[in-house]
Amino acid sequence: MAKWIEAVEPPAPLVIGGFARVEVRLGADTYNTCNPGVGDVDGDGLDELAVPVIEGDSCRISLYKGDGTEVWRNTEVRFFNFYYGDMEANRGTHWHAYMRHRHLFTRIFDIDGDGRQEVVCADGPVWVLDGRTGALKKMVALDAHVQAWCPARLDGPGAPASFVAGVEKRDGSGAAIVAIGPALEVRWIAPVEGRSFEDALWAGDVDGDGCDEIVFSTSSTASMYLMDSAGRVRWKQRIEGVIGDDTHIDDLVIASVLPGPSTQILMATGPALIGAGGNIIWALGDKYDHAQRVLAVPMGAGPAGPRRIYFCESYRRNAYLLDHEAREMWGFSGFQRVRPDFESRITLRLTTAGGIADWHGDGRPVIVQAELFGAAQGAEKEIEGPWTGYAVLLTPEGEVAACLPFEDVPGRPAGAMCAVPGRFNSPGSQGVAVIVHCGSRLYFFSHAT
């Protein structure tokens, strides 16, 4: 029997600079989410983390501080499979209650315009909780499966936030984008072709008119779409065979990547850069393999200045930084590697777990990239746990700032579900929160000053 900890060679150096780590036990055997919510609910300058949890047949949302304190938990919530009493719906997908790699989108923002932060979680019903207390403020049941959603400014920058969701009807008869206003009223429903809104849904002002557009993909059509704030599809672009090797968008950023004021869509899967009108500026799927995380990285302190493009290859386990013309500035391959005698038993990948953090509090960004790992098909019983994985912090120059270790137990998959930046321990710098797949653990990391 081989232990996971012996199956890989950790990146070197293990740590450059000190860090602090807080480990939180979420429960006995919990199913969590790749998409926790981050925000300052009490105005103290520190972010909290909202984590939806399934333990047995019990559902809850818990709010944690960066020191590991559980501020509150709400056990009134019932997620899709439990709310509708249908444990077979979505089985085998990212949305099933007992899927280890679980999408259950949770966000912290002021949804009703009262000046206070709410915790919003949508899977079947939309649950809106008071950010300070966890008390249920409102629940909206759409009689549909909410697969992906995000806040959106549908009425311009000065208007209250709305949100948009990609939903499938419970009877399987179709899919739609639904817009919900600040009073949690349904504003419009726009039917769309296809089904399965993988892996997320994004909103941002792509054309500069002051209102957000909505970008999404449906895996059954292998295409991406841009919809305006009124629910009209402006354009459709084929993904599979044109932009990259997948049927859906794993990750996406709406940002000004090219010089000038215009906004583009920077997406993984290629990677690719798409113009506001749906034109492909460049697509690199023939050069790079299955890009996952993609980031528009500011170079230097502050929002001004050029942005560079970071992405990781999932299976080859390399990371790159490109300029806006897709010229390679550096590549990094110092993540964990499987020893040759374990190659048939261990799988290692890089996924969308990561982001951009002000780790040192100096305004200079570091790139966070965490690992996914697991036993290969049929090898689960050959391997013992726990496994040590890492969230690697890279500077914009491609140097290692730190390697943050976390542990998970055997499973397919295991490793980091998410690696979320936030001001968890200091108002002046950002740390990283990591939730693992199988070990029912949450980790908070911060720079040790």
Side-chain angles (χ1 to χ4, degrees), residues 135-405:
L136 178 63
K137 297 184 75 171
K138 193 165 185 178
M139 184 273 284
V140 180
L142 298 174
D143 196 36
H145 179 214
V146 180
Q147 293 181 342
W149 69 274
C150 69
R153 298 283 180 180
L154 301 180
D155 300 308
S162 305
F163 75 84
V164 288
V167 308
E168 283 192 11
K169 295 180 180 179
R170 287 187 59 216
D171 62 5
S173 62
I177 302 296
V178 178
I180 297 180
L184 295 181
E185 78 284 7
V186 175
R187 297 185 53 174
W188 48 257
I189 300 175
V192 296
E193 61 179 345
R195 59 186 299 272
S196 193
F197 294 93
E198 300 177 56
D199 264 341
L201 179 147
W202 298 265
D205 187 3
V206 178
D207 61 5
D209 67 351
C211 296
D212 285 348
E213 283 72 44
I214 305 136
V215 183
F216 61 93
S217 64
T218 57
S219 61
S220 61
T221 64
S223 296
M224 63 181 293
Y225 303 80
L226 184 137
M227 179 179 285
D228 67 18
S229 59
R232 298 179 292 256
V233 173
R234 288 189 183 170
W235 53 258
K236 168 186 174 182
Q237 181 61 261
R238 178 78 177 177
I239 299 173
E240 189 177 35
V242 176
I243 295 175
D245 61 352
D246 213 338
T247 60
H248 61 273
I249 303 171
D250 289 298
D251 194 26
L252 179 147
V253 177
I254 297 172
S256 181
V257 176
L258 300 178
S262 62
T263 299
Q264 297 82 41
I265 299 169
L266 175 63
M267 58 179 287
T269 305
L273 189 66
I274 313 294
N279 54 303
I280 299 175
I281 299 171
W282 46 255
L284 308 176
D286 58 344
K287 181 177 180 181
Y288 299 106
D289 178 64
H290 198 73
Q292 281 268 316
R293 190 61 165 167
V294 64
L295 300 167
V297 183
M299 301 300 289
R307 295 195 179 205
R308 298 291 184 257
I309 297 143
Y310 168 86
F311 69 94
C312 66
E313 294 178 305
S314 180
Y315 302 108
R316 291 177 181 167
R317 297 177 53 77
N318 300 314
Y320 301 91
L321 196 79
L322 311 180
D323 70 7
H324 65 275
E325 294 182 343
R327 293 175 295 203
E328 192 173 303
M329 302 183 70
W330 53 255
F332 179 82
S333 59
F335 302 100
Q336 293 198 81
R337 299 290 172 179
V338 179
R339 290 204 322 246
D341 53 326
F342 276 90
E343 286 182 348
S344 64
R345 289 175 278 178
I346 300 291
T347 61
L348 293 174
R349 290 179 58 192
L350 301 177
T351 68
T352 56
I356 299 173
D358 181 4
W359 177 252
H360 293 98
D362 57 2
R364 297 188 72 251
V366 298
I367 300 161
V368 182
Q369 180 64 66
E371 301 178 315
L372 185 72
F373 43 77
Q377 183 77 34
E380 294 90 337
K381 295 182 179 179
E382 299 179 29
I383 302 167
E384 298 175 0
W387 177 301
T388 299
Y390 298 89
V392 179
L393 307 188
L394 298 171
T395 70
E397 294 74 37
E399 299 173 348
V400 177
C403 294
L404 311 177

Side-chain angles (χ1 to χ4, degrees), residues 37-48 50 63 72 107-120 127-135 137 151 153 161:
V38 178
D40 180 6
V41 303
D42 54 12
D44 65 352
L46 298 178
D47 288 329
E48 286 77 37
L63 188 80
W72 52 254
R107 290 179 171 89
I108 297 176
F109 66 108
D110 181 8
I111 190 175
D112 56 10
D114 65 353
R116 295 162 62 100
Q117 302 291 300
E118 282 80 40
V119 173
V120 184
W127 301 92
V128 180
L129 311 182
D130 185 291
R132 289 177 180 260
T133 68
K137 297 184 75 171
R153 298 283 180 180

